Structure formats: C-alpha cells, structure tokens
Amino acid sequence: MFSRRHSRNATLAFRLHMTGVSLGNSRDQLNKKLQERIKSMRGIKMGIAAAALAFAATSAQAADITIKFSHVVAENTPKGKMANKFAELVHERLGDRVEVEVYPNSQLFGDNKVLEAMALGDVQLAAPSLSKFGKYTSKLQVFDLPFLFKDMKAVEKFQQGPKGQELLHSMEDKGFIGLGYLHNGMKQLSASQPLIEPADADGLKFRIMSSDVLAAQFEAVQAVPLKKPFSEVFTLLQTKAIDGQENTWSNIYSKKFFEVQDHITESNHGVLDYLVVTSADFWNGLPDDVRPVVKKSLDEAIAYGNKISMEKAEADKKAIAESGRTTIHELTDEQRAAWVESMKPVWKQFEGDIGKDLIDAAVASNG
Ligand code: LMR
C-alpha cells in the first residue's frame, strides 16, 4: 500500500514538476492549479502547453500503480530485453492503470541495494542474479556450485522441477516472492593472463558477486575473491585493481570487459541466472483484476528472455572473438577435468547450508 502511493505520488510530482506545477494536497487543488495555468497561456504556445498539461493531468489521474523495475545490466541483454518486453506487454494490456518504469545499468539501485530498496517499497520488481540472495536464504546458493549443471537445459529442468519451484518461495518469511527464473547463461572465466590449468589462477584477484560459494570456488584454486558490485567491474579491470572475473558472454560483451581482459577461458563452469522477485506487500496489495495480468505479462516476458538468452550468448561470443581484442581459450577434456577436480570439494563444504536434497536434484537434472 505504502509503496503504491509512494511511487504514484513520486511519478505525479515528477510530471507536474516538468509542467511547472507543484503537487498540492488534493486532486481539486491540483485541477484548479492546472486550470489557472491553462487560462494564463496565450497563442500557439498556449495550445501546445495546454495539451501537454491536460495529458499530464489525465495520465496522472489514470496511472494507479507504478512498477519500478530496477536492474544492473545493459538493455541489450536477456534481462534488459525481458524487462522492456514486460513494460510493453503491461502497457498494452493495462493501459494507464499500471505503468512499468524500467531502470537499467544500475541507474536506480546497484545490486547490493536493490533488495533493501524493495523491502522499503522504493522499487517493486527486480531480477538479481541467483548469487545475490545469500543474506536472505542459503538455499539459492545451490546455483553457484561449480560444475554442477552440465548445460542450460539441465538448469531449466531443475528450475522447472519440484525443487526449483519450491525455491521460488524460499524467502517468503523475509517478505520476498520469487515470480520466476530468467536465464542469462553459463559463466566464463576472464583474466589478464591465460587460465588453462587451475594453477594459473593462483594468487590472482577475481571479482565475484556477493556469494560465499563463489568465494570458496576461487579459494579452491588459491585465487583471491573480492565481492564487488557489477557496476564497478569494468573500472576495476581497466585499472588492474583486479586481475579477472567470471561472467556470461552477454555481460562480458555488453559491459566491454573483453576490451580490458586479454584472455577468456570458455569454462562454462557455472550458471548465471536470475530470480525475478517482488515484495509480498506490493504483490498482495495489487488489485485482484490486475495481479493475474501482470503475472501473465511477466511469464511471457520471461519466456521471451529465456528464448533469446542462448542466441545472445552465441552472438556475443562471436562478436567478442571477431573483435580481436582478446583471446578465447577452449579447454581440452583433460584440462577441464582438472578444474572440476579442484573446485568440486566446494559442494561438500556447502552441503549443510544448501541441503543434500537440492544438490541431488540438481545433479539428477543432468540426466
Ligand atoms: C554480476 O554481478 O556479474 C551479474 O549479476 C550482473 C547481472 O545481473 O547479470
């Protein structure tokens, strides 16, 4: 309730600010001010300005609910495209009743702040990487275990299976509802030097997302993990404050990490997917005739994002290879097996936190 009023008033105030009218206490006051303002205008300018004001007044009155969707990646990524598609579908179906405002590139909140902002009602929808929920549940850490999923088909099978669906509800006691999974893809390792054997990572500093499992994964190869927000990665790499990072092809491409990393190893050692999440207060406060339409639009936007994620990974990998700015290394089966052997003990280390049942179900999805 608070979040809806808050968002709506903020949008209204912004629109009126743009038209030179300050927000009064009541709609009557507001209409009176608008009328006075319209009356005081003359000539052609008056016509245009009056039309703009009338539009502002109409849409301010009509848009009951604003959904702020905050994310950290570029628009030309599976998540960026999914968010824009969602806004489009909601607009088509709910017109001015619900307005979706998408904020990409950490413009509104960085990934370490967005869930706190959501709890306060300052943002209504987000899709953080599954690695960024450690403060709220240890269960989602299953997705970070290195070399757990063979490929994205296995990830999809696990997510859509009973255990994956159960995980959508794993933070309801903290006031968050998982509305669905969105794919990005498998992660690759990049560094200022070639990473062919695990020993190559020894002593190198790697930026990681805020996950203890990912920290353990790099510690397993004697590297130094540093938890840093996504928005800082390019500069950290460029200034050589860190040596490497792990990410998907679409993030490495859209954020230009490949321009400041001489080597990328096609390791496919883990998955980077998202949980589309909302706050229970906001979601349960939506009118009963609006919630299903928003959910249907979200499901369709997620399906679209998932469909393009594989194509984007391929296309972005190709673009990186063709740029000539970095060298992509493929691993032989034997080289890959050495990385698996070094990193796999992390599974046992986190079995107690995550639950053996979840790990077993994830392994079974490879079959
Ligand atoms: C990262 O921090 O590397 C990713 O979570 C960014 C993203 O949202 O894809």
Side-chain angles (χ1 to χ4, degrees):
M1 197 58 186
F2 165 77
S3 62
R4 274 170 43 191
R5 278 182 69 91
H6 174 82
S7 303
R8 186 177 167 204
N9 286 346
T11 311
L12 187 62
F14 174 73
R15 285 190 178 125
L16 293 173
H17 171 74
M18 295 305 283
T19 54
V21 178
S22 63
L23 182 61
N25 286 335
S26 71
R27 183 145 288 158
D28 288 350
Q29 258 179 301
L30 177 66
N31 283 335
K32 210 166 141 223
K33 279 187 180 178
L34 286 170
Q35 291 310 322
E36 280 164 11
R37 189 122 185 136
I38 290 169
K39 265 192 218 152
S40 74
M41 294 176 179
R42 294 282 177 270
I44 295 175
K45 267 194 193 156
M46 182 191 89
I48 296 168
L53 280 170
F55 174 74
T58 316
S59 54
Q61 283 174 12
D64 292 334
I65 300 161
T66 300
I67 301 178
K68 290 192 178 145
F69 188 159
S70 172
H71 68 82
V72 299
V73 293
E75 287 186 282
N76 187 25
T77 55
K79 183 159 59 181
K81 285 176 171 276
M82 171 265 167
N84 292 349
K85 169 69 93 190
F86 169 64
E88 250 172 66
L89 291 174
V90 169
H91 183 69
E92 260 168 49
R93 291 165 188 174
L94 290 163
D96 287 335
R97 271 190 88 187
V98 180
E99 184 177 14
V100 177
E101 295 176 355
V102 180
Y103 297 89
N105 293 311
S106 312
Q107 269 167 19
L108 193 59
F109 294 105
D111 45 23
N112 50 349
K113 286 276 174 279
V114 74
L115 292 170
E116 287 164 35
M118 184 172 282
L120 293 171
D122 291 337
V123 60
Q124 288 70 40
L125 210 62
S129 143
L130 291 162
S131 315
K132 293 177 182 169
F133 291 92
K135 249 167 99 175
Y136 303 96
T137 173
S138 53
K139 302 275 169 207
L140 288 172
Q141 295 186 115
V142 68
F143 289 100
D144 287 338
L145 293 175
F147 298 104
L148 179 63
F149 296 103
K150 183 171 86 179
D151 53 26
M152 291 308 292
K153 247 175 89 181
V155 173
E156 169 75 15
K157 194 166 159 195
F158 174 72
Q159 289 175 348
Q160 298 314 321
K163 290 287 176 198
Q165 291 299 298
E166 227 174 271
L167 286 178
L168 295 177
H169 308 286
S170 57
M171 293 176 293
E172 286 185 359
D173 58 335
K174 307 282 184 331
F176 297 117
I177 300 178
L179 296 171
Y181 293 103
L182 173 70
H183 296 320
N184 184 330
M186 299 303 276
K187 289 180 292 187
Q188 320 303 334
L189 292 167
S190 78
S192 48
Q193 62 190 67
L195 297 172
I196 309 300
E197 300 172 4
D200 296 334
D202 195 337
L204 298 189
K205 292 193 204 104
F206 285 87
R207 176 269 173 174
I208 57 164
M209 296 180 272
S210 55
S211 153
D212 292 344
V213 174
L214 298 180
Q217 168 193 278
F218 280 102
E219 281 160 1
V221 291
Q222 277 68 56
V224 183
L226 296 162
K227 292 178 182 170
K228 295 283 177 190
F230 186 58
S231 56
E232 292 177 22
V233 181
F234 180 86
T235 308
L236 289 169
L237 293 172
Q238 190 185 36
T239 57
K240 305 218 180 301
I242 56 171
D243 305 293
Q245 62 89 46
E246 54 166 13
N247 231 303
T248 58
W249 290 114
S250 77
N251 282 345
I252 294 172
Y253 180 65
S254 58
K255 290 294 177 188
K256 302 190 191 313
F257 299 160
F258 69 101
E259 294 186 4
V260 287
Q261 291 276 264
D262 289 341
H263 300 273
I264 301 176
T265 300
E266 187 168 21
S267 49
N268 291 317
H269 62 282
V271 60
L272 197 167
D273 266 13
Y274 306 111
L275 185 72
V276 182
V277 67
T278 189
S279 84
D281 278 355
F282 169 73
W283 192 249
N284 297 330
L286 283 174
D288 286 343
D289 60 332
V290 165
R291 197 184 308 104
V293 185
V294 173
K295 179 67 167 67
K296 183 171 186 299
S297 304
L298 196 58
D299 290 344
E300 287 176 29
I302 289 175
Y304 164 76
N306 286 346
K307 184 167 164 287
I308 61 167
S309 62
M310 295 286 265
E311 296 153 26
K312 281 247 23 97
E314 275 309 305
D316 291 348
K317 176 185 159 190
K318 188 161 175 275
I320 292 169
E322 285 171 3
S323 74
R325 302 286 294 262
T326 187
T327 305
I328 298 177
H329 303 277
E330 285 176 18
L331 297 176
T332 63
D333 288 350
E334 206 181 317
Q335 287 163 343
R336 194 163 192 277
W339 287 92
V340 176
E341 199 190 327
S342 303
M343 290 180 164
K344 210 168 154 184
V346 172
W347 294 21
K348 262 268 164 285
Q349 208 178 320
F350 285 87
E351 195 180 274
D353 280 352
I354 295 171
K356 190 168 177 328
D357 56 328
L358 281 179
I359 301 177
D360 288 348
V363 171
S365 67
N366 288 320

